Amino acid sequence: MSVRVRFAPSPTGKLHLGGARTALFNFLFARSQKGIFLLRIEDTDKERSLKEFEDDIIDSLNWLGLKWDEEIIRQSDRVDLYAKIIKLLLDKKLAYYCFCSKEELEARKQEMLTRGETPIYSGKCRHLDAKEIQDKIKRKVNYVLRLRIPEKTIVFRDFLRGEIKIDYRQIGDFVIAKNEFEPLYVLANTVDDHYQGITHIIRGEEFLHTTPKQILLYKYLEWDHPIFVHLPLVLGQDRSKLSKRHGAKSISEYRQEGYLPEAILNFIALLGWHPNVDNELMSLEEMIKSFQLEKLNKSPAIFNTSKLNFFNKHYLKLKPAEELLPLLDFKNFGKFGQEQKFYANNGCVYDLLKIYKIIDLGKERATLINDILNFVNFFFNDFDYDAQLLLWKNASLLETKSNLIFIKETLDKIKEERFDDAMELKNFLDNIIPRDKRGYFFWPLRVALSGKDFSPPPFDLMSIFGKEKTLNLISKAIDKLSSLI
Ligand code: GLU
C-alpha cells in the first residue's frame, strides 16, 4: 500500500505552529515512505473561511518548504460530490431531516447540563414519515441533516493511543449537513479522505473526538477507513492550552519577526517527536531520513520560546551572508547605490564584500534576522557613548588617553591597504603591545570604534572601517577623554 497523506486546514485563521507541525509530520511521513503528501483546503464553513487565510496558509507552507504533491483540493469545489453522498445516506435512512428549532435544542441542552448529563440530541425527528417531512420542507421550516447512530459501543484504534472505546449513545444523532448542499466538516472530511485515497490521517488530538463519528460514516458508506494518528497537544509551559500569551504566533508573524524556516521546522519537529538521533539539530533532509510514526509521543508537547530562539541563533550562524542579504532591511542604515556600493548614513561607503563581512559579524550575536544589522549599527550610523566606557578595569583617563594616542600614531604609519586584513592588523598590534597590557589598549580601541561594551574584536572593526574612519573614531575618543581631564 503506498502512503497517501494530507494536510487539511480550514482557512478560518492563519497557519499556526500547531498546524505547521501537523503539515510537517504528514510531509515527513510521506517523504520517508516515498508516498504522496496532499493539501486540501477545508472551506465548508462559508462565513469563517477567508481567501486571505488560505493565502497565508499556502505562503507559509511554501516558505517552510513543505511542498505538496498534486493539485490543491478545495471543498467548496466539490459540493456535488457531497450532495451525492448526502442523498445516499438519506435514501438508505441512515441520515434524516431534523426540524427542531435552535431554541428547542438549546433548552434541552441546558436541561441536560443542569442534570449533569452530556447534552445529546433527543432523536425527536428520527421517525418522521415522508409526508411530514415534505410538508415541513414545503412550509420552509428550517432543518439540518443528522446521522442515525447505532445504540452500541465502538472500539477503534488510534495508532499512538491504541484501542479507544466510545458508546455512540453518548454522542447522539449528530449533524452532518446544514442541507443537501452544505455538508459540515465531519462529512466533507470523510468523503474527501475516501476519494483521495488517504491511507493515514495524521492530525491534532483536538480532532480525536470526531473520529468515532467519521468511523460510523465509513461504515455506513461501506468504505474502509484510514489509519488514525492523533498528534499530541502542544501546551504552554504552564501546561495550559497554547496561545499568544505563551508567545505562540502564526508562521507569517514568526517570518516577519526574523525567524528562519530551518529553525521553525526543527523546533516544531521536536514538539511530539523523539527521533533516534543524538543531535537535535536536523535539516529537513535529515528529518526525512529518521522519521518514524512509531517515534511520535502521545503525551503533550511543551512549547518553549527560548528553544526556538536557540535554533534560530544556530541556523542564522550557518547561513551564508549572501543568503541573508536579501532578507535584511537596510532602511535605517543607508542605501545601496551604483555598482552595488552601500552608502551608509554616517558617510562610509562599503562594497558588497564589506557588507557581507558586516553581516557575518552581526549574525554571530543575533537571535533574529532583524537583530543582525542592529548589532553592528555603528558601521552605518554616527554614534555617541559615555567616555567612562573607554576605561578598561582600573585604568585612568590619562592612561587610556595615552594608549589611544599611541595606537593612533602607530596605525597612522601603516599603509591603507593593510587595513583590509583583520588578521594582519591583529598580528601587527599583538607584536607591539605586551600581552598583559592588551586590555588597556584593545578595550578602549574597540569602544572607540563601536561605542558599545559588546561588539566584535577591534581588528574586525578596523578592517571594515578602513584607515581614515578608524583614525577619526580614535581621535573622537581621545577628545572625549581630554574633555574630562
Ligand atoms: N479541517 C480540519 C482543521 O481545520 C482538519 C481536520 C483533519 O485533519 O481531519 O484542522
Side-chain angles (χ1 to χ4, degrees), residues 390-416:
L390 290 161
L391 308 183
W392 169 249
K393 291 188 175 165
N394 57 349
S396 67
L397 292 167
L398 257 177
E399 182 190 1
T400 307
K401 180 178 161 184
S402 87
N403 290 353
L404 281 179
I405 292 175
F406 173 77
I407 293 199
K408 189 182 160 207
E409 286 171 354
T410 311
L411 291 173
D412 206 4
K413 287 189 214 118
I414 63 174
K415 283 209 187 94
E416 166 94 54

Side-chain angles (χ1 to χ4, degrees), residues 233-244:
L233 295 173
V234 184
L235 303 178
Q237 273 185 312
D238 56 1
R239 299 191 79 83
S240 67
K241 193 170 171 279
L242 189 63
S243 69
K244 271 214 176 312

